[in-house]
Amino acid sequence: ASKRSNSGYVVYDTALEAHAKQNLSLMAELRHAVEHQELKLFYQPKVDLRSNTIAEVEALIRWQHPKRGIIPPDQFIPFAESTGFIATITEWVINEALRQRHQWEQMRLSLSISINISARDLLNPRLPQIFEQAMQRYQASADWITLEITESAIMTDPQSALEVLNHLHQSGFRMSIDDFGTGYSSLAYLKKLPVSELKIDKSFITDMENNHDDEVIVRSTIDLGHNMGLHVIAEGVENQATWDALRDMGCDSIQGYFVSRPLAADVLETWLQSSHWKFKAQH
Ligand code: C2E
Ligand code: CA
Ligand code: CA
Ligand code: CA
């Protein structure tokens, strides 16, 4: 961030310096956020298209900043990933998600939970231990937990990803390839991966009713997944027509704003009880 001036003094690139300062304070603020309960998980339901039931929710992080309001994950997760702070965040997410699942179980609400795992987490040798501790603390078993791992995370270093995924698979976790279709997986790798689900990226889903190419991609991905014995879920379902089309194509589950936005835990509980969403399923 520095360069030598003609006079021999070191002058700093002020833009970069400001940027570095900003990142330092963002880092400090994130640490503060974890320590002061400013992070919060929201939960988005997944509908099983055969039974029209909701048995699983995806945990999605938000930062409730005391001054700046709710900050979405895209504004701090990539930063946390680039600095390694994601390890701390992921540990918090795992504990909070399992705590919530346990609380729901005590309310006789039985829900599986999906947790987003970053590329960097896959290289964290403490990851299995973090899971074990949280599962012990909150009396959870691995079959209640799905790990969503992006296709690009797997393809950055397929060899070591394969090792970690095998390990997690042996521990009994269900694994889903998130954002499928955006990360150029080779089919040879896909065959080797111990995953049980493909999640079709929302960029193919949102407009599939109007875009023939998207529709063809979605249909082929569902067939590909099924031919490999995988469960296929579509994210980003925003209207009834897309829901109907996916069901007719044999897609197994859906997730999206048309069913529900991600909700705070207590709001989700009320929403599930209202069962109003079932009218959409019966259309
Ligand atoms: P993702 O895992 O692909 O999550 C899907 C995103 O799409 C979420 O955004 C969700 O709110 C949004 N979404 C759901 N339904 C619809 C829909 O019908 N239409 C549209 N346009 N969007 C929809 P969100 O919550 O802002 O999360 C963004 C990304 O941040 C996630 O993408 C994931 O990559 C990351 N993320 C979120 N929570 C966590 C976390 O706990 N850990 C990690 N490592 N990453 C997380
Ligand atoms: Ca996800
Ligand atoms: Ca996704
Ligand atoms: Ca995504």
Side-chain angles (χ1 to χ4, degrees), residues 44 58-62 73-74 77 86 93 116 118 148 178-179 202 235-238 256-257 262:
Q44 188 179 37
E58 175 179 5
L60 292 156
I61 200 169
R62 272 95 184 93
D74 289 343
I77 290 290
I86 190 70
V93 170
N116 290 287
S118 292
E148 295 195 4
D178 206 348
D179 298 353
K202 60 178 178 292
E235 67 176 10
V237 175
E238 294 185 352
Y257 293 166

Side-chain angles (χ1 to χ4, degrees), residues 34-251:
V34 176
E35 283 159 14
H36 294 81
Q37 289 82 42
E38 288 172 19
L39 298 181
K40 199 173 160 87
L41 291 182
F42 274 42
Y43 300 90
Q44 188 179 37
K46 302 180 174 185
V47 177
D48 178 303
L49 290 181
R50 240 168 300 280
S51 60
N52 283 331
T53 53
I54 290 168
E56 183 159 23
V57 293
E58 175 179 5
L60 292 156
I61 200 169
R62 272 95 184 93
W63 180 359
Q64 289 190 316
H65 195 282
K67 292 199 194 85
R68 283 184 273 160
I70 294 191
I71 304 177
D74 289 343
Q75 286 179 33
F76 64 93
I77 290 290
F79 172 78
E81 285 171 339
S82 70
T83 55
F85 194 67
I86 190 70
T88 306
I89 292 185
T90 301
E91 181 164 7
W92 179 84
V93 170
I94 291 169
N95 276 278
E96 175 58 13
L98 295 196
R99 185 199 64 74
Q100 184 59 64
R101 202 207 66 83
H102 182 58
Q103 188 180 322
W104 281 332
E105 194 169 43
Q106 289 175 323
M107 299 166 59
R108 294 167 178 275
L109 187 55
S110 136
L111 289 170
S112 293
I113 278 210
S114 326
I115 295 175
N116 290 287
I117 297 291
S118 292
R120 190 115 178 202
D121 295 322
L122 285 183
L123 303 173
N124 179 358
R126 282 189 60 239
L127 189 68
Q129 192 191 329
I130 290 167
F131 269 113
E132 275 159 34
Q133 284 173 351
M135 291 194 303
Q136 221 166 18
R137 191 173 299 141
Y138 298 113
Q139 298 147 50
S141 76
D143 37 275
W144 287 100
I145 304 165
T146 300
L147 307 182
E148 295 195 4
I149 299 158
T150 61
E151 192 183 12
S152 54
I154 295 169
M155 296 317 290
T156 339
D157 184 354
Q159 202 51 52
S160 44
L162 183 61
E163 268 173 49
V164 180
L165 294 181
N166 277 331
H167 186 113
L168 292 168
H169 176 69
Q170 275 154 20
S171 310
F173 294 104
R174 234 174 130 252
M175 268 160 315
S176 177
I177 305 188
D178 206 348
D179 298 353
F180 188 77
T182 61
Y184 314 102
S185 285
S186 93
L187 294 180
Y189 260 112
L190 190 56
K191 215 176 94 183
K192 281 194 217 163
L193 294 173
V195 298
S196 43
E197 181 180 88
L198 298 185
K199 185 184 260 197
I200 307 175
D201 189 67
K202 60 178 178 292
S203 59
F204 302 109
I205 303 294
T206 312
D207 198 34
M208 64 178 258
E209 283 311 286
N210 308 306
N211 184 317
H212 181 66
D213 290 346
D214 286 348
E215 196 211 308
V216 169
I217 291 170
V218 170
R219 192 184 292 279
S220 319
T221 307
I222 293 170
D223 290 345
L224 169 74
H226 286 168
N227 288 334
M228 297 179 78
L230 303 175
H231 187 268
V232 181
I233 179 168
E235 67 176 10
V237 175
E238 294 185 352
N239 55 56
Q240 185 80 61
T242 308
W243 177 324
D244 294 346
L246 287 163
R247 187 193 46 219
D248 294 347
M249 289 177 185
C251 191

